[in-house]
Amino acid sequence: MIAHWPGATVDLPSGPLHVRRASATSSTAERAVLLHGLGGGGPNWTDLMGLLRDRLDCAAPDLPGFGWSPPPATGAYTLTTHVAAITELIERDGPTPVHLLGNSLGGTVATVLAATRPDLVRTLTLVSPALPVLRPRLTNVHLPALAMPWVGRRLASRLAKVPLEHRMRAALALTWADPSRIPPERLEWATAEILRREALEHDGPAMIGSLRSLMTAYLRPARWPLWRLAARVQAPTLLVYGLLDRLVDPRTAYRAERTFPDARLVLLPDAGHVAQMEFPDVVATAVRRLVDEPRRPPRLPGRHGTAGATRDAGGGDGGETPRGEVRGA
């Protein structure tokens, strides 16, 4: 099992950012930046980074206020804050565009960055991206409640009183399809990390503020037109969805496939919200194929399909449940 990659804090115009790096083993490797989800950190990409070292020189930052990154100077945990920090990191490390990967909230940040700064993104990989869907599910209905100013504070206060072991079990059940796949060493590390984070004054505000910004983007599309931004992405895009995801509805996979102009879709029937952690080898194969393939011509309006794969569920408006498995890897 790969140990978590070492990290260091880098100074950016908007403030310090902690970045973990897995140096490439090849002189021809290209730069990649990997963005974690809400409540996560750079270690969410540990195994995938190790599998891609021969092809990608990977940097996995902790978004402002998460992991080992300090709070942003403005104190604002918003999509704008996160996008600005990652933009600065990419520009700091070099002039060439990067392969940008994002999971959940990190997928939203990556989508906005790819749409607004196409010069910085060579390819885009999104694992269960948190794109707007207004169909609450029993497994994620607590998230909008946490984002509400008064209710969120009360709910967060009550959750903090729940024993750590119970909270850990609940969190893993939400994010992993099968938490028994987690190696004991990683579970011990995650427990210690939660205890460290809870001692920080900015831990709660970072989580709630980022969630609130995400919910605002969902509810105010005129201000944050995330689906329209997705339609502007020029980079070849890999979409990875776990069919057992309890946080991001996998039924949105087909809308995402239709919306991103140059998209290929991979559905994993046994994966949850963090496919890059549960099945890093499968995701690595799909990423490698995306990175190495020639640029495809833009899809014509109204056309829909997945390259190099077959599936037994047709496209729709996001209301149907995907039934097949796309093996694009």
Side-chain angles (χ1 to χ4, degrees):
M1 184 180 66
I2 301 173
H4 291 309
W5 301 105
T9 299
V10 299
D11 291 324
L12 301 174
S14 62
L17 203 67
H18 189 267
V19 183
R20 294 178 185 269
R21 299 183 187 273
S23 298
T25 59
S26 168
S27 61
T28 60
E30 299 170 352
R31 291 194 302 146
V33 174
L34 306 90
L35 310 179
H36 63 81
L38 193 67
N44 290 170
W45 300 97
T46 293
D47 293 317
L48 188 69
M49 291 164 72
L51 292 170
L52 294 172
R53 290 180 72 197
D54 65 313
R55 188 65 183 82
L56 297 178
D57 187 29
C58 295
D62 295 334
L63 293 173
F66 290 94
W68 288 84
S69 288
T74 61
Y77 298 98
T78 64
L79 285 175
T80 300
T81 298
H82 297 319
V83 171
I86 302 307
T87 299
E88 291 170 1
L89 176 66
I90 295 173
E91 292 178 326
R92 173 191 181 275
D93 284 352
T96 57
V98 303
H99 299 281
L100 187 61
L101 296 81
N103 170 225
S104 193
L105 169 66
T108 309
V109 173
T111 298
V112 174
L113 198 157
T116 57
R117 289 296 305 273
D119 57 306
L120 297 181
V121 181
R122 188 181 301 275
T123 69
L124 181 65
T125 295
L126 304 176
V127 181
S128 295
L131 293 172
V133 55
L134 299 179
R135 289 189 304 269
R137 308 167 75 193
L138 290 177
T139 51
N140 67 8
V141 71
H142 65 291
L143 294 179
L146 278 171
M148 297 174 64
W150 185 82
V151 176
R153 285 195 298 270
R154 291 287 300 272
L155 182 56
S157 178
R158 293 181 61 182
L159 289 174
K161 297 177 182 178
V162 176
L164 176 61
E165 180 183 351
H166 295 171
R167 280 183 284 140
M168 277 283 293
R169 188 180 302 118
L172 294 175
L174 277 175
T175 52
W176 287 66
D178 182 3
S180 68
R181 297 191 186 113
I182 305 174
E185 297 88 343
R186 292 279 172 80
L187 196 57
E188 291 177 8
W189 183 91
T191 302
E193 180 66 5
I194 288 178
L195 289 172
R196 182 189 70 82
R197 290 282 308 169
E198 288 186 342
L200 302 175
E201 291 184 359
H202 66 268
D203 182 55
M207 178 77 172
I208 300 301
S210 297
L211 176 60
R212 188 172 296 158
S213 179
L214 191 60
M215 291 296 104
T216 299
Y218 278 31
L219 298 173
R220 297 180 181 176
R223 180 179 177 184
W224 273 104
L226 292 178
W227 283 114
R228 276 189 284 164
L229 287 170
R232 287 171 49 187
V233 172
Q234 300 176 21
T237 303
L238 170 66
L239 302 166
V240 181
Y241 285 82
L243 294 187
L244 300 182
D245 194 330
R246 298 177 180 89
L247 291 174
V248 168
D249 193 334
R251 290 178 295 180
T252 62
Y254 294 133
R255 180 176 182 180
E257 186 192 13
R258 291 198 312 273
T259 302
F260 287 89
D262 185 5
R264 60 280 290 140
L265 173 64
V266 173
L267 301 177
L268 301 180
D270 299 321
H273 188 60
V274 287
Q276 83 278 11
M277 300 176 74
E278 291 191 88
F279 298 99
D281 53 340
V282 177
V283 176
T285 301
V287 171
R288 192 181 298 275
R289 177 173 294 176
L290 174 73
V291 169
D292 290 338
E293 74 177 6
R295 181 70 180 264
R296 302 190 304 184
R299 190 170 55 211
L300 295 176
R303 295 191 62 186
H304 172 70
T306 299
T310 59
R311 51 191 169 87
D312 62 2
D317 63 0
E320 69 277 57
T321 301
R323 299 184 298 275
E325 174 187 3
V326 175
R327 289 196 177 275

